[in-house]
Amino acid sequence: MKKRRIAGVILAAVMVLSLAGCAEKADETGDSKLVLGFSQIGTESAWRIGNTKDIEEQAGNFDIGLMLENANQKQENQIAAIRRFIAYKVDVIAFSPIVEEGWDNVLKEAKEAGIPVILVDRELKTSQQGLTTCLIGADFYKEGVMAAEYLIRKADSLGLEHVNIVEITGTQNSTPMVQRQAGFFDTISEDPRMNVLESIDGDFLKSRGAECMRYLLDTYGDTIDVVYSHNDEMTLGALPEIEKADFVPGQDIIIISIDGGQEAINVLKEGKINCVVECTPKLGKALMETALKLKAGEAVEPVIHPEEEVFSDEQDTSLIAPRGY
Ligand code: AHR
């Protein structure tokens, strides 16, 4: 008996569906198609838009019915979306938690309804074990480590004796913010040349990246040696501010970014960014494979981290292939 039959009418009004009419669809063996409810954080970055696009494409490739909701950067919208997925009795729920805390109640509701939950991109903290099945997303701590390792090599190659760093972080209490900072700080703490002047919240937004950079330049002026920015969007917001203040990004100030979207890679090729640590948004294939396994009652990997690399002025940047996001 297919449980999701009950709520189609109610939900049609409230959901942004890319479901392609699949809720009742059965394949030639008579099994109904898997329905996956996915709550996306929003559209704050090229990364996020690329991630949504990839998930939509892969749902099509795997013939999975996707109910996609955009939370417009609000946790309460994500919680409401998950409740709608539960009411609709989807087979599997997936979401990218905007912050790490505050999910216990809705996850308990999903568990009571017997619907497995996959974390995509970001992690969360819960008061009890077993409320989610697995995580498919980047190793953000390692990204922070790779950013710091690049900086240490760069300082060596320039013969720097003292390095003043400003950090523009992603959304406070989000997994990438917490772990990119921890990986970076743990690594530079072993190098006595490194000094963090200030860390400031840029919320992963281009506009905030610009605001933060204006403030940092006003406050620290030409003492800034390095900008470590937690994503490309904020970096792209910060660069014009650096130029307006008559500094040359990539030369007067070392610029380190994370994501590796096409726009940032183009700027890396121009020499205005020194290093971009890759964070791939292409998580859709692993998500669909995992959802199918869960529906079939098979065991899944608790953590799937994609392979990621570093793009920098240490290499021939003309050889970097088109990024696709
Ligand atoms: O969680 C991944 C991060 O979120 C990406 O680095 C950022 O661009 C996005 O908004």
Side-chain angles (χ1 to χ4, degrees):
M1 192 204 55
K2 217 44 240 167
K3 42 195 179 169
R4 67 180 71 91
R5 211 170 283 143
I6 53 166
V9 176
I10 305 164
L11 283 156
V14 291
M15 286 185 160
V16 179
L17 297 182
S18 52
L19 188 53
C22 62
E24 299 296 331
K25 196 172 159 194
D27 65 18
E28 50 292 344
T29 66
D31 291 337
S32 55
K33 172 164 164 170
L34 188 155
V35 176
L36 171 68
F38 177 63
S39 167
Q40 181 58 285
I41 291 173
T43 49
E44 75 279 9
S45 60
W47 189 101
R48 187 68 51 202
I49 292 164
N51 178 248
T52 302
K53 188 168 162 258
D54 182 62
I55 287 171
E56 287 177 316
E57 282 173 8
Q58 292 295 345
N61 293 346
F62 281 80
D63 196 26
I64 285 175
L66 178 67
M67 305 176 83
L68 173 67
E69 289 218 40
N70 179 340
N72 292 311
Q73 320 311 130
K74 288 196 168 55
Q75 183 177 28
E76 61 265 33
N77 291 346
Q78 289 201 286
I79 291 172
I82 293 167
R83 290 209 164 107
R84 286 192 286 275
F85 297 150
I86 295 169
Y88 193 71
K89 300 185 189 294
V90 299
D91 296 295
V92 179
I93 292 172
F95 74 114
S96 301
I98 185 164
V99 291
E100 293 193 335
E101 311 269 352
W103 303 100
D104 269 42
N105 290 341
V106 75
L107 290 176
K108 283 179 193 162
E109 290 165 30
K111 191 163 181 84
E112 277 160 22
I115 302 174
V117 176
I118 302 172
L119 298 175
V120 178
D121 169 36
R122 299 185 183 181
E123 289 182 60
L124 47 69
K125 296 193 173 107
T126 50
S127 62
Q128 75 182 64
Q129 299 277 315
L131 295 181
T132 60
T133 56
C134 60
L135 166 76
I136 300 166
D139 184 340
F140 297 124
Y141 184 89
K142 189 172 165 197
E143 291 172 354
V145 170
M146 292 194 288
E149 287 173 345
Y150 165 82
L151 178 58
I152 291 168
R153 292 195 300 277
K154 184 76 177 172
D156 289 344
S157 72
L158 294 174
L160 301 180
E161 288 174 4
H162 189 82
V163 182
N164 281 331
I165 303 160
V166 292
E167 179 188 39
I168 306 178
T169 74
T171 307
Q172 289 296 299
N173 302 319
S174 68
T175 315
M177 178 269 147
V178 172
Q179 295 191 8
R180 285 173 183 167
Q181 182 172 74
F184 187 82
F185 280 23
D186 286 352
T187 309
I188 61 166
S189 70
E190 288 164 22
D191 187 326
R193 295 172 297 178
M194 302 293 161
N195 174 46
V196 178
L197 294 171
E198 187 164 342
S199 294
I200 182 167
D201 176 12
D203 204 14
F204 284 127
L205 298 171
K206 189 173 188 176
S207 56
R208 282 286 300 147
E211 276 170 35
C212 291
M213 198 66 236
R214 275 198 295 279
Y215 159 79
L216 292 165
L217 287 161
D218 286 348
T219 308
Y220 301 103
D222 65 3
T223 64
I224 300 172
D225 299 308
V226 178
V227 174
Y228 169 46
S229 158
H230 284 198
N231 83 341
D232 289 347
E233 231 59 43
M234 298 186 296
T235 309
L236 294 166
L239 291 179
E241 301 305 318
I242 295 173
E243 289 176 318
K244 273 186 237 162
D246 277 339
F247 297 109
V248 181
Q251 290 180 33
D252 298 332
I253 300 178
I254 297 166
I255 310 292
I256 302 175
S257 187
I258 299 184
D259 275 355
Q262 190 60 55
E263 198 177 347
I265 294 297
N266 292 345
V267 179
L268 170 75
K269 290 179 180 184
E270 287 169 28
K272 294 182 184 176
I273 293 178
N274 301 87
C275 172
V276 184
V277 177
E278 180 185 30
C279 178
T280 181
K282 294 180 184 171
L283 307 173
K285 183 168 182 281
L287 171 59
M288 301 311 149
E289 288 168 350
T290 304
L292 286 167
K293 280 188 188 169
L294 286 170
K295 190 182 181 198
E298 292 171 24
V300 297
E301 292 289 321
V303 179
I304 297 177
H305 286 320
E307 283 296 314
E308 295 180 329
E309 57 182 306
V310 176
F311 305 109
S312 79
D313 55 11
E314 298 170 308
Q315 70 193 101
D316 180 352
T317 55
S318 69
L319 299 177
I320 301 172
R323 303 291 301 144
Y325 62 98

